[in-house]
Each structure stands twice: as C-alpha cells, then as structure tokens.
Amino acid sequence: MNYTPGRLMAYVCLALSMSMVGAYVALTKPLAAALPVFLLAWLRFGIGAVAMLRWLRKPANEAPLTPRTRLLVFLESFLGNFLFTICMISGVSMTSAVSAGVIMSVIPAVVALMSWIFLRERIGARVWMAVACGALGIGLLSLAKNPHGPGLDAGGADAAHQAWLGNLLVFAAVLCEASYAVIGKKLTAVLSPKRISSIINLWGLALMTPLGFYTALQFDFSAVHKGIWLLLVFYALAASVWSVWLWMTGLKSVPAARAGVFTVMLPVSTALVGVLALGEQLTMIQLAAFAVALAGMLLVTVPGRSGAGTGADAGADAGAGSGSGHS
C-alpha cells in the first residue's frame, strides 16, 4: 500500500509533478480573469476533496499521528496549499506567465538552503552546481525584460507597479513552495503520499471556505464560459491530486535538496504554456536560461562515477534514509 519507488521512477515522478505545477500556474491566468481569487481557490480544494474521498481513509498499519506530525500537516497545507495558491493566483494575474517562470527558477536554491538548515541534509558538489545553474538561469532571465508581453506595455506606471506587486507575490509563492518541499520530506516518513495529499487538501478547503463562500454569494456563475469550468476541473485535479501525489511519491526516495532541483521544471513549463497557450513572447536569452536550468537538473539525475567527485552526493543520498532526512 505504501509504495516506495526506485530512484529513476522517483525522478520521473518529481519531474512530472513540477511540470504539472508549472502548467497550471500559467493556466490560472485565464481562470483568475474569469473567477475571483478566493472563489477559484475554494472550488479547487472542493473538487480535490471529492476526488480524494477514498484517500482519507486511515490504513490499518498507520501509526497514530503525534502532535508534531499534526502540526507539520497543517503547515504543509497552510504554506504549500493555502498561501501558495493565494500568492500564485494573485501574482500571475498581475504579471506574465514568463515573468512568473523567471522568479520560480530560484526555487531549487531556496529548497537546498532550507534542506541544509532544517533537515541538516549534506548537500554534495553536484547539487550545489545544479543550484548554481538555476541561479545563472534566473540571472540570464533578468536581462530579458520582455517589454512587449501581453498586458504589460499599455498601462504605463500603473501597469509597471501592478507587475512589480505580482512579481513580489510570485516570490512569496516561491518561499511557500520551498517550505512545502522540505516539510513534505518529513511527512513521507510517517504517512503515505495519498494520505498526505488528501489531508492537506482538506485543510486547504477548511481554510479557504469562509472567504470562498462569502465570494460565491456575490458572484454571477451564469456569466462564466463553459470552457472555464472544464479548465477549472483540470486545474483542481492537477493542483490538489496528481501533482501532490507525484511529488510525495518521489520524495520517499530522494533527499529534499536533490528533489528541489526538479523544481526547475516548474518555471520552464510555466513559461512554455505562457508562450504556446497564452501568446506570450519567449526571447533567445530566456531560451538560453532555461537550457542552463535543465543542465542543472541533468547534473543531479545522471549517475556519476563512484569516486571523490561524487562522494558528497552519495552522502546526500544516504541522508534520504537516515535520521536527517526522515526524522
């Protein structure tokens, strides 16, 4: 019942999870234009709760939750679901999907730093090199201002101020996402991915219900196009069910710092969906930046020779099964 994947399958789960998150981050732009933020978030958690009703059932072999585990579950939902959703939806509605992708490129560095501080994971040279690639990528992306992005070229100072606020909210979402990755590593030691997914979604629904219900009372649902409802269902299942389960499954076999490198897939997929589906522009500098970020991911996933050059990374991998990673 409590499936633990092999290393390669764990990598696949992590990459798919972050690609899915990046895709729905971009797709929240049209959703946020049609639905108020709190209503959108409330509906997302509600659809997810219905989809995961069976996952809430406690397995017979699951130990009773300690007060510390209950606190971690709440923080996982409050930071990774509740605050992340509000900051991300609000931020993307004020800036471009490409800009959101730029800011989210820093997630691997934040995850690695938090893993080092809170989980005491030993971070090997290749992981730090991968983090450096992510930092270099975001540096390159900062050179590409993308002044002709949709909605950012006609509003003058007001539009610039709104984009700045949107970027700040996206960065707040980055901090929430990094916290989500680190706390999730702790939880996978005591709960199955399905239980984690269902419980933190239920907490998200409870936290969002007062604001969502109040917004729903004043909203005209008949004005929403049918296509938006279909997009909402995909967003809810991807955000609350599929991406969370894939991420928690991958974390069972991979240290948090190494898993954090896979978050480079989030900004890449966000920007690609922004370009392919939302008509935003992607420059050569941005393409080069994403190539550097993907190179960083390859540094982590491609096996190295067993020797001095990879010893530190082996220590980090060992940490996945030690007290530092699962305590």
Side-chain angles (χ1 to χ4, degrees):
M1 293 292 292
N2 198 357
Y3 168 66
T4 300
R7 181 56 55 88
L8 179 59
M9 184 55 64
Y11 287 159
V12 172
C13 288
L14 294 170
L16 283 176
S17 173
M18 286 297 106
S19 298
M20 195 173 293
V21 173
Y24 76 65
V25 163
L27 292 175
T28 55
K29 196 169 182 68
L31 283 171
L35 296 166
V37 171
F38 295 126
L39 178 60
L40 173 57
W42 186 47
L43 292 174
R44 167 227 160 142
F45 291 125
I47 294 172
V50 173
M52 292 187 287
L53 276 176
R54 294 181 60 187
W55 291 7
L56 278 171
R57 186 178 305 165
K58 179 181 176 181
N61 60 346
E62 181 184 296
L65 298 184
T66 64
R68 185 170 181 269
T69 300
R70 293 178 187 275
L71 176 61
L72 288 176
V73 169
F74 172 76
L75 289 176
E76 181 80 336
S77 182
F78 181 71
L79 295 173
N81 272 357
F82 181 73
L83 283 184
F84 174 81
T85 300
I86 292 176
C87 292
M88 183 267 294
I89 294 176
S90 301
V92 172
S93 69
M94 297 179 186
T95 187
S96 68
V98 170
S99 295
V102 171
I103 298 164
M104 289 184 173
S105 296
V106 80
I107 292 177
V110 180
V111 172
L113 184 61
M114 286 187 175
S115 301
W116 180 52
I117 294 173
F118 296 109
L119 300 182
R120 298 179 182 175
E121 290 183 353
R122 288 181 294 168
I123 302 174
R126 287 175 61 164
V127 174
W128 280 121
M129 288 172 63
V131 170
C133 284
L136 177 59
I138 197 171
L140 286 172
L141 284 164
S142 67
L143 299 176
K145 301 298 184 182
N146 196 24
H148 304 295
L152 298 178
D153 61 344
D158 289 341
H161 176 74
Q162 185 182 49
W164 177 86
L165 179 58
N167 291 339
L168 187 62
L169 286 169
V170 172
F171 182 72
V174 165
L175 297 178
C176 292
E177 182 69 15
S179 302
Y180 168 85
V182 173
I183 296 172
K185 183 62 183 176
K186 292 278 191 180
L187 291 177
T188 55
V190 293
L191 294 171
S192 70
K194 287 184 177 181
R195 279 276 285 168
I196 296 172
S197 304
S198 58
I199 294 174
I200 66 175
N201 181 82
L202 199 60
W203 262 118
L205 178 62
L207 290 168
M208 196 65 71
T209 292
L211 294 170
F213 183 72
Y214 176 77
T215 307
L217 293 177
Q218 307 172 58
F219 184 71
D220 180 14
F221 288 89
S222 63
V224 180
H225 189 271
K226 292 180 180 179
I228 293 295
W229 294 120
L230 293 176
L231 187 59
L232 172 63
V233 172
F234 168 78
Y235 163 59
L237 294 177
S240 292
V241 185
W242 303 328
S243 64
V244 181
W245 179 82
L246 285 167
W247 183 258
M248 295 302 168
T249 299
L251 271 182
K252 290 185 69 64
S253 302
V254 179
R258 181 170 290 240
V261 176
F262 286 87
T263 59
V264 299
M265 296 303 297
L266 194 162
V268 169
S269 59
T270 296
L272 289 179
V273 171
V275 171
L276 298 176
L278 304 181
E280 297 180 359
Q281 295 182 1
L282 188 64
T283 67
M284 290 302 297
I285 292 179
Q286 290 167 332
L287 284 173
F290 287 136
V292 171
L294 289 175
M297 189 177 69
L298 289 176
L299 275 172
V300 170
T301 56
V302 175
R305 292 175 299 174
S306 57
T310 58
D313 291 313
D317 290 342
S322 69
S324 63
H326 285 287
S327 60

